[in-house]
Amino acid sequence: MPLPKLAVAYLPLILVGATAITLMLGIAWRRQHHVTVAVSVMGLGLALAAQIMAWRVVPLTTPLLAFDGPAMLGGILVLASTLACAVLAHAYFETFQNAREEFYLLLLCSAAGGLVLVASRHLASLFLGLELLSMPLYGMLAYAFHERRSLEAGIKYLILSAAASAFLLFGMALLYAQTGELELSALMASMVRGSGAWGLAGAGLMLAGLGFKLSVVPFHLWTPDVYEGGPGPAATFLATASKVAVFILMLRLVLSAPAFQGEWLHAVLWVLALASMLVGNLLALTQSNLKRLLGYSSIAHFGYMLLVLVVADGLAAETGGVYLITYVPATLAAFGVVILVSSATEGRDAGALHYYRGLFWRRPYLTAVMTIAMLSLAGIPATAGFIGKFYLIALGVEAHQWWLVVGIIAGSAISLYYYLRVIVTLFLAEPGMYRRDASPDWAARAAGLVVLGAAVLVIMLGLYPAPMIALAHAAGGVIAP
Amino acid sequence: MELAFYLSALMAVLATLGVMTNPNPVHAVLYLVVSLLAVALVFFALGAPFAGALEIIVYAGAIMVLFVFVVMMLNLGQATVDQERQWLQPRTWLGPSVLATVLLLTLVSLLWRGDIQAVIEGGGLTARGVGTLLYGPWLLLVELGALLLLAALVTASHVGRIGKVAAPSPAPRDLPTGASTPANGQAHQPSTNGVAGEDV
């Protein structure tokens, strides 16, 4: 295989890694918050451009990585959300008294892990990618460690994530013992020929490990606490880039060997999907903290998305792509508003809903952003979320997955209640007490622009979804063996 | 060779059980060392001497050294000496010693039977093989491992920092509820009046 093509495919990863090294050297030399942010944003922007350029060389496989449609789409989503997180973190950490620069270093390392994970076709690269994605997140979540909640979130994620990694590794060991293969496609092929009890146990353990990272329902208990406690940008990264990368990986797993869709895996995914939809939405009903609410809502959204893995044929990859593209900007916008209202210096993030009472009367545009994000997450027409839900339900109906379709509809109905409750809170009359607020010139700053851009994107994709569908279609069309 | 594998695997399991059930961390570490040695012997029996050696050097060696360092740093005088004397009761070291003896016997009997390569089926995994794999097709993984260690190091150095930390402002939640915080000058602290059921 010609080297230049390979170099083009590796370029985003190389750029992200090089930016991380540059940041490290810069921090060692002189601490400059603005310069650090500028360098990381520039590096991520270049990597994003390189990732888009890399579309031209797909499909391309190396022993460890497969550069194909899902990998490209996943890479774009991971890099775009990392970029947004970096800009939001700039606003969030602006007045932070402690060292601020390391956050971006960790963010870049984590993004590199995400890039590897979405492209991995080998158990070794899968594991290292996943660890590289999660390991910096411990530090990011515990970044404001003098704040008790942040430290708690970091430690909670550290311990539970380590346990999940242990499950994953043990599952890999069992699969290797059963099949003698580490490459995913070969592994799947020999599983199809006959997976013994050990192979099944291994696949089950791997599913548990990956399910933890996706926080689908039996493995979801950490999600609300970590989302609430972690600093806003870290929670945003966790909700967008991290989950997107793991989902793309699972998509590749089930798509690379459709025959692997045997009885039991099918059944397990089915149960996980239905449980996540219902439990996530029902638990979100009672939340009065916006970050916790978004955590539960992300559980429900990934429950919906598991439908794609259950069906895993025909339109599945395209549907998964469309839903991810609609999910990411809405989540970024919602978390972005929380970040703009919060600040690392003011103690805990402004998560509680009562901070947002009457936000409309003070910050009408910020309220519009939040409203759009909530409507999109709820799947109201004219927002991107509607297109995603439409695709999912169409896929489910086509595959005769009636119960899951019922689950999606019931879940969406339940979710309307709590999303609308947030919107109503925004428009309530202002109470008399002093509360936290975004800085007056938020819209003129980079972070404000990112939030506004995400909201505009949500509306644009909802009204004119053709480019998004074309992108997802192209991603679903090229899947490396 | 199979007997050696199963025997050392059994020792590893027993020693790990010892680690988990032992209430005293120092005693647990003794078992842990035996467990790691047993796993190293498992690697040897499987024909991976390099992995076995690494297991001993990195895990058993590093853990031993760390353990010794901690004991050195915590060595606080007569009380500690008494405590150590008390720790050296036979029932403390008997278990790990028995397990380690079995391991030693296994190893000796293996060596007695002659050339290891002749007994192991299939090719052995040598340091050369590991090196060519790591720095050949798996080079990317080595680089990613480096990035992973960098992230871990940065995390540790940041969280371990005792720098100029602004006095953590008391979170609204931590204040006693009700009107106990009038005019304390904290403009950004919302009053918690009338906030019921926050964070269910």
Side-chain angles (χ1 to χ4, degrees), chain A residues 97-257:
Chain A
Q97 288 300 310
N98 212 326
R100 298 169 283 191
E101 289 80 7
E102 279 92 338
F103 189 86
Y104 306 94
L105 179 52
L106 294 174
L107 195 67
L108 283 162
C109 289
S110 206
L115 284 183
V116 172
L117 192 62
V118 293
S120 62
R121 64 187 291 262
H122 192 280
L123 286 183
S125 54
L126 189 162
F127 181 69
L128 263 177
L130 199 61
E131 282 303 294
L132 189 53
L133 180 69
S134 329
M135 173 72 230
L137 265 171
Y138 310 150
M140 283 155 69
L141 286 169
Y143 202 81
F145 57 89
H146 49 80
E147 185 63 37
R148 199 169 53 82
R149 299 250 156 198
S150 170
L151 193 59
E152 179 191 324
I155 290 174
K156 222 171 231 177
Y157 190 67
L158 165 72
I159 292 173
L160 292 175
S161 178
S165 293
F167 271 96
L168 191 73
L169 268 185
F170 196 55
M172 285 179 183
L174 288 179
L175 278 180
Y176 184 66
Q178 174 78 31
T179 61
E181 297 284 353
L182 281 177
E183 210 166 88
L184 286 179
S185 48
L187 190 73
M188 292 300 188
S190 52
M191 287 287 284
V192 170
R193 276 199 297 279
S195 54
W198 294 118
L200 284 188
L205 286 173
M206 276 190 71
L207 195 64
L210 292 173
F212 169 84
K213 306 280 178 184
L214 268 191
S215 69
V216 291
V217 145
F219 319 109
H220 69 287
L221 292 168
W222 58 278
T223 316
D225 288 348
V226 170
Y227 277 36
E228 185 199 355
T236 315
F237 187 84
L238 196 58
T240 54
S242 163
K243 285 198 167 189
V244 165
V246 178
F247 185 79
I248 295 266
L249 173 84
M250 291 186 78
L251 194 63
R252 178 191 305 285
L253 276 180
V254 295
L255 286 181
S256 63

Side-chain angles (χ1 to χ4, degrees), chain A residues 137-382:
Chain A
L137 265 171
Y138 310 150
M140 283 155 69
L141 286 169
Y143 202 81
F145 57 89
H146 49 80
E147 185 63 37
R148 199 169 53 82
R149 299 250 156 198
S150 170
L151 193 59
E152 179 191 324
I155 290 174
K156 222 171 231 177
Y157 190 67
L158 165 72
I159 292 173
L160 292 175
S161 178
S165 293
F167 271 96
L168 191 73
L169 268 185
F170 196 55
M172 285 179 183
L174 288 179
L175 278 180
Y176 184 66
Q178 174 78 31
T179 61
E181 297 284 353
L182 281 177
E183 210 166 88
L184 286 179
S185 48
L187 190 73
M188 292 300 188
S190 52
M191 287 287 284
V192 170
R193 276 199 297 279
S195 54
W198 294 118
L200 284 188
L205 286 173
M206 276 190 71
L207 195 64
L210 292 173
F212 169 84
K213 306 280 178 184
L214 268 191
S215 69
V216 291
V217 145
F219 319 109
H220 69 287
L221 292 168
W222 58 278
T223 316
D225 288 348
V226 170
Y227 277 36
E228 185 199 355
T236 315
F237 187 84
L238 196 58
T240 54
S242 163
K243 285 198 167 189
V244 165
V246 178
F247 185 79
I248 295 266
L249 173 84
M250 291 186 78
L251 194 63
R252 178 191 305 285
L253 276 180
V254 295
L255 286 181
S256 63
F260 187 50
Q261 285 287 308
E263 289 297 313
W264 71 272
L265 182 67
H266 206 80
V268 168
L269 282 175
W270 192 90
V271 170
L272 292 185
L274 202 59
S276 301
M277 291 172 199
L278 295 180
V279 174
N281 278 320
L282 286 174
L283 288 180
L285 282 180
T286 57
Q287 300 306 318
S288 60
N289 183 309
L290 191 54
K291 284 171 90 183
R292 289 179 81 87
L293 190 148
L294 284 171
Y296 281 116
S297 120
S298 87
I299 294 174
H301 278 282
F302 278 85
Y304 302 151
M305 261 185 258
L306 282 185
L307 169 72
V308 172
L309 303 184
V310 174
V311 176
D313 63 349
L315 274 178
E318 188 179 334
T319 310
V322 167
Y323 205 90
L324 284 178
I325 298 175
T326 61
Y327 168 80
V328 167
T331 310
L332 279 179
F335 270 105
V337 174
V338 177
I339 292 172
L340 283 178
V341 175
S342 315
S343 163
T345 32
E346 294 179 10
R348 297 170 50 213
D349 284 2
L353 265 181
H354 63 85
Y355 291 127
Y356 297 88
R357 241 181 104 111
L359 189 70
F360 173 70
W361 309 106
R362 288 169 280 139
R363 302 266 175 264
Y365 291 104
L366 205 57
T367 309
V369 169
M370 187 59 124
T371 309
I372 290 168
M374 287 295 145
L375 290 178
S376 176
L377 287 173
I380 302 294

Side-chain angles (χ1 to χ4, degrees), chain A residues 458-476:
Chain A
V458 167
I459 291 290
M460 261 176 53
L461 292 179
L463 294 177
Y464 182 57
M468 164 177 76
I469 291 171
L471 185 67
H473 184 73

